Amino acid sequence: MRRSDTVRRGNRLLLVLLVLTAIVLINLDVRLGAGSPLDDLRQTVAGAIAPAQDGLGVLAQPVLGLAGDRAAARDARVEGLEAEVARLQSQVRTAAVDRGRVAQLDSLLRLATAAQFATVPAQVVAVSPAELSERTVVIDVGSADGIATDMTVLNGDGLVGRVLSVTASTATVQLLLDPAAQVGVRMAGSGQLGLARGGQEVVPDRRDVLGSDVLGFELLDRLAPMVDGDVVVTFGSPGGRPFVPGVPVGVLRDVAGGYGATARIATLVPYVDFSSLDLVGVVVEPPRTDPRDLLVPVTSPPVPAPEPAATPVVP
Amino acid sequence: MTRPGFALVPSAGLVSAGLVSAGLVSVGLVSSVLLQVGLLALLPLPGATPDLVLVVVAALAIARGPGAGAVAGFAGGLLLDLAPPAAHAAGQWALVLTVAGYAAGHLGDPRLRSGTRLVLVGVLAGLATAAYVTVSGLLGAPWPGLGELSLLTGSAVGYGAVLAAAVVPGGTWVLRRTNAPQRTAW
């Protein structure tokens, strides 16, 4: 037998073995779900690369249009950030990127202070590739900063997601847009309950109006009123995990299903711009009381108001 | 004739050269995974995220052959499957990149014209993206739709070719410097 034939056959065998291994791994992970041995492996890999990933934030920052004193921002609690914001505001009026960061810290601070959330600010350092259906990011704070799984993540505009897993110095955040994400929400004002879901697609001709990153919304009480422009906030989970109450989620558009219809669904346009996520806050301590509708923005909604709806036909 | 590599006792020099190149490949794969999710995924580019891991795997496969390509593809893919922010069933990237690495080693040859090589890597990147979306779709992930899929695939071809122009010549040169056997099995 010629040597090249042996090599070729060995390569082919290797390919088959590796492909089979990959298929077995996929199957194991899907079937066993949480608690599969692959989760331990995942945790090990996450811990091993955490320092490098954390360090890569230095590279990520200019990419995200950020600069400035990240280390100081990270370890301080939001109360301490007021001074930081003032310092930054006075010092770095020159660069537009710095002004952007100040604005972000400022709005995060405003929201967290109003609600009396204790938050830890964090910087996004990695994002799941666009071709993957999952929508997750890595932030540069971890268990050493007091972060634990199922904590709420927000920014100055509203709800971002929840902490999926942590290492000592990094944490993975599941964004609201992830197909597996579900949030119990409440309509501001009426207090009607609903469910917001990630993994939604917008029909192409509505994309210019709504953007491509939207959530699905389902109203639980099918007799309750629901119109375009209604604002929804988080309902809150027991103990504030995974979601603290009262965080603005977004605005309802394209309300479908009339009064009393079997399904009352709408598109939920989130307040947070997920395409340019950089500075976020992790709620490490929920407020003692539900902030109710305190955090709902009074300024303009994230999308232009829809064309006036046709007058409802009253039978 | 006995199988090469099994009958021969490798000399100490060969072993250390092998270790050096295995170390280099590991470093290359780990840093490409970190750069892919920590830098390239953050860039506001249309379509897919530039698939640096695939390009590194392809560069290795072109220099070292299909066996090495398949192994590197499996390792790099598994790392992409496990490293944060990944939150999907592990093994999907490993599956796709194993086949991609094998194919790159099979079709690619250091003697190919450099332009042809770039096209080859670009096409592989596009196919890998489409294959990944299909595999995850089979496992229940939302289907992006034909328009979105063609945007993802098309952009992946372009990004793959551009990255290959940066990575493949340098990678080939580095691997050649390690003096490990060229274009043989693992």
Side-chain angles (χ1 to χ4, degrees), chain A residues 97-250:
Chain A
V97 282
D98 286 357
R99 274 203 297 278
R101 187 171 171 80
V102 168
Q104 285 181 51
L105 277 170
D106 205 15
S107 62
L108 174 63
L109 175 68
R110 209 174 301 136
L111 189 132
T113 312
Q116 298 183 317
F117 296 138
T119 62
V120 171
Q123 163 76 50
V124 171
V125 293
V127 176
S128 58
E131 59 269 35
L132 271 62
S133 60
E134 72 221 37
R135 298 296 299 269
T136 46
V137 299
V138 179
I139 53 176
D140 66 348
V141 294
S143 53
D145 309 275
I147 310 299
T149 51
D150 277 343
M151 282 179 171
T152 311
V153 181
L154 42 76
N155 72 4
D157 298 324
L159 186 66
V160 170
R162 69 183 179 98
V163 176
L164 207 57
S165 61
V166 290
T167 70
S169 58
T170 60
T172 306
V173 176
Q174 178 190 52
L175 304 182
L176 282 184
L177 303 174
D178 189 273
Q182 279 198 6
V183 195
V185 290
R186 186 170 59 72
M187 286 167 75
S190 74
Q192 287 296 332
L193 302 186
L195 195 62
R197 282 201 185 89
Q200 302 293 315
E201 279 290 314
V202 195
V203 285
D205 55 332
R206 292 291 286 156
R207 214 163 272 180
D208 325 334
V209 186
L210 301 176
S212 55
D213 288 342
V214 296
L215 305 169
F217 174 81
E218 193 182 334
L219 191 64
L220 296 186
D221 181 355
R222 54 199 177 83
L223 297 181
M226 168 168 83
V227 292
D228 262 33
D230 277 351
V231 171
V232 301
V233 301
T234 52
F235 176 64
S237 327
R241 284 163 79 168
F243 295 107
V244 292
V247 183
V249 179

